[in-house]
Amino acid sequence: MFESWKVKMNHQSRPTLHASRNTQHATRIAYLVLFLALLFASFSSASAQSSAPTDDEVNAIARQLYCPVCESTPLDVCPTDACKEWREQIRTLLAEGKTEEEIFEYFEQQYGARVLAEPPREGFFWLMYLIPPVIILAGVVILFRSMSDWRKKPAPVEVEADEIPAAKDDYLARMEEELKKQK
Amino acid sequence: MTEQTNIEKKGVALWVQIVVWVFIVGLLALVGFGLNKARNPMAALNEPVPDFDLVYYEGYEYKDTPQMKLSDFRGKVLVVNIWASWCKPCEQEAPDLEEAWQLYKDGDDVVFVGVAYVDTPAGSSQYLKKFNITFPNAPDLQSNISSILNRQMGVPETYFIDREGILRHVKIGPFGSVNEIQKVIEGIQ
């Protein structure tokens, strides 16, 4: 009976030993899976962080746009809540993989060309590019012409001594005489 | 002693003068034409409102149609509220507008349309959810609608258009109560 018990015990202990080994094995696998999951999570988090647009990237685009509400304020320095929302919109668009041009296009479609620091080179906006150089050119031409006129201006005419009228000559003679008397 | 000397002043050639003047007049005409073309027709009180169209935000359509045209609303009183999520006074009147809409929406005689002025989609969405707005809403793309309605001060501004499409009342600033909104609508009806 004892033998049988021993056998039984041995027989019973074997599955226990197997179970312990299996548990250890399963635990190791679980640790490995957990480790790999953590590793993957940290990698994906790192890659997400690296793909998230930085403030500098957002501001590089924002400074080429103007606040649609507050006049003449570039979006990168505008302190209002509305401007913060627009900067966040730029960040969202950058995160979606939109290019700078596509973001400008989006802002133009939403808020009009007035938000663009550089107006589009089309239609009526061409005047903004043409008028300043034409005015500068006209100014240069006028300046050049004026300067050449100033150069051509004759020097004061020298009057010869013998051209002085006689009456004035007498007057001078008298003056000199008076001066001599005073001395 | 001074001597008068005749300095012959050389004038600008006539053809140059003509070219310069033609250029200046042409430029001014071009600027005037461009400005006139760029300008939207504007609404005036007791005058018909120029027709415009809007594309609603998803989930804020009117009778499941994705877009509207002002002329489609002939025969109804149209209340156009211009707002923005960054506008604090708009928050003040938002619950009143929604409450007023609840009073009229089943009658199908008065329609409310919200127009988000220079706003971000995220900001607009948050605002509409925050105040449980259910009436139709749309963005004011390129500020066209506020330009047509001749927005005067800022936001909020509300425009009441009668059944014939004539602008009958403009409210500048937020409404103080639901009663105030009702009074204006009843005055038009």
Side-chain angles (χ1 to χ4, degrees):
Chain A
M1 196 179 166
F2 178 72
E3 284 297 311
S4 70
W5 177 83
K6 203 177 172 184
V7 170
K8 216 179 236 182
M9 190 193 73
N10 285 343
H11 185 72
Q12 277 177 345
S13 70
R14 265 184 199 155
T16 316
L17 191 70
H18 276 303
S20 164
R21 275 184 191 162
N22 280 345
T23 311
Q24 275 182 354
H25 191 63
T27 311
R28 276 183 196 154
I29 288 172
Y31 277 130
L32 189 69
V33 167
L34 188 69
F35 174 73
L36 286 173
L38 283 170
L39 200 68
F40 178 75
S42 65
F43 267 120
S44 58
S45 163
S47 73
Q49 274 176 358
S50 65
S51 67
T54 62
D55 285 351
D56 286 345
E57 284 169 334
V58 171
N59 285 334
I61 291 174
R63 79 173 55 101
Q64 295 175 71
L65 292 166
Y66 276 77
C67 167
V69 190
C70 24
E71 301 287 334
S72 308
T73 311
L75 211 52
D76 63 324
V77 292
C78 175
T80 64
D81 286 346
C83 288
K84 275 181 204 161
E85 277 187 28
W86 285 309
R87 285 195 291 270
E88 280 312 304
Q89 186 67 27
I90 294 173
R91 195 186 301 280
T92 307
L93 293 168
L94 279 172
E96 284 171 8
K98 296 276 190 293
T99 63
E100 197 175 272
E101 285 306 312
E102 285 170 332
I103 294 170
F104 292 152
E105 208 172 296
Y106 170 84
F107 268 78
E108 191 188 345
Q109 279 173 359
Q110 289 284 318
Y111 313 114
R114 70 199 163 109
V115 298
L116 303 175
E118 195 179 314
R121 290 168 197 272
E122 59 186 34
F124 184 60
F125 292 106
W126 270 113
L127 286 177
M128 292 184 189
Y129 291 96
L130 292 175
I131 291 175
V134 166
I135 289 172
I136 290 168
L137 193 70
V140 168
V141 169
I142 290 166
L143 190 70
F144 181 77
R145 284 186 64 88
S146 304
M147 283 175 73
S148 64
D149 279 353
W150 295 334
R151 279 190 201 140
K152 280 177 195 167
K153 222 172 194 175
V157 180
E158 281 181 21
V159 182
E160 295 291 327
D162 55 356
E163 286 176 8
I164 296 170
K168 291 202 172 175
D169 200 19
D170 290 344
Y171 174 75
L172 279 173
R174 268 191 282 142
M175 281 288 285
E176 278 173 6
E177 225 171 276
E178 287 295 320
L179 284 168
K180 275 176 192 171
K181 279 179 193 172
Q182 280 180 11
K183 281 178 185 175
Chain B
M1 180 172 177
T2 54
E3 287 292 314
Q4 291 282 329
T5 51
N6 289 330
I7 301 160
E8 199 179 311
K9 213 171 187 183
K10 200 182 167 188
V12 179
L14 185 66
W15 71 269
V16 177
Q17 289 185 38
I18 291 169
V19 167
V20 168
W21 280 109
V22 165
F23 176 77
I24 290 169
V25 170
L27 200 65
L28 287 173
L30 200 64
V31 170
F33 175 75
L35 287 174
N36 196 41
K37 201 181 163 193
R39 199 182 62 179
N40 277 321
M42 283 183 181
L45 207 60
N46 298 321
E47 296 284 336
V49 177
D51 207 4
F52 60 80
D53 41 38
L54 283 173
V55 178
Y56 295 119
Y57 284 124
E58 213 180 310
Y60 292 91
E61 297 90 353
Y62 179 67
K63 291 188 174 177
D64 298 327
T65 49
Q67 57 193 54
M68 67 155 274
K69 208 171 172 64
L70 176 66
S71 49
D72 297 341
F73 288 88
R74 289 283 156 86
K76 293 178 199 285
V77 172
L78 187 67
V79 180
V80 183
N81 173 248
I82 298 182
W83 60 274
S85 65
W86 41 263
C87 150
K88 293 294 165 195
C90 299
E91 295 187 355
Q92 190 185 319
E93 68 168 9
D96 291 338
L97 278 164
E98 177 56 28
E99 204 179 322
W101 167 240
Q102 292 301 325
L103 296 173
Y104 292 103
K105 69 171 187 179
D106 294 330
D108 203 30
D109 190 37
V110 180
V111 180
F112 283 39
V113 175
V115 176
Y117 173 72
V118 284
D119 213 344
T120 58
S124 298
S125 174
Q126 275 175 8
Y127 179 93
L128 293 170
K129 280 174 189 158
K130 183 179 173 185
F131 295 102
N132 297 316
I133 303 291
T134 59
F135 56 85
N137 261 279
D140 185 7
L141 295 180
Q142 301 191 342
S143 308
N144 275 335
I145 308 309
S146 48
S147 165
I148 288 171
L149 290 172
N150 199 4
R151 188 182 58 89
Q152 289 165 37
M153 298 295 285
V155 274
E157 282 191 12
T158 308
Y159 301 81
F160 294 81
I161 302 165
D162 74 5
R163 290 182 179 78
E164 280 76 45
I166 293 167
L167 181 64
R168 288 297 179 201
H169 185 83
V170 179
K171 168 72 181 175
I172 294 169
F175 287 102
S177 65
V178 180
N179 197 30
E180 190 187 347
I181 303 169
Q182 277 182 289
K183 268 187 185 169
V184 180
I185 293 171
E186 279 158 21
I188 293 167
Q189 282 179 319

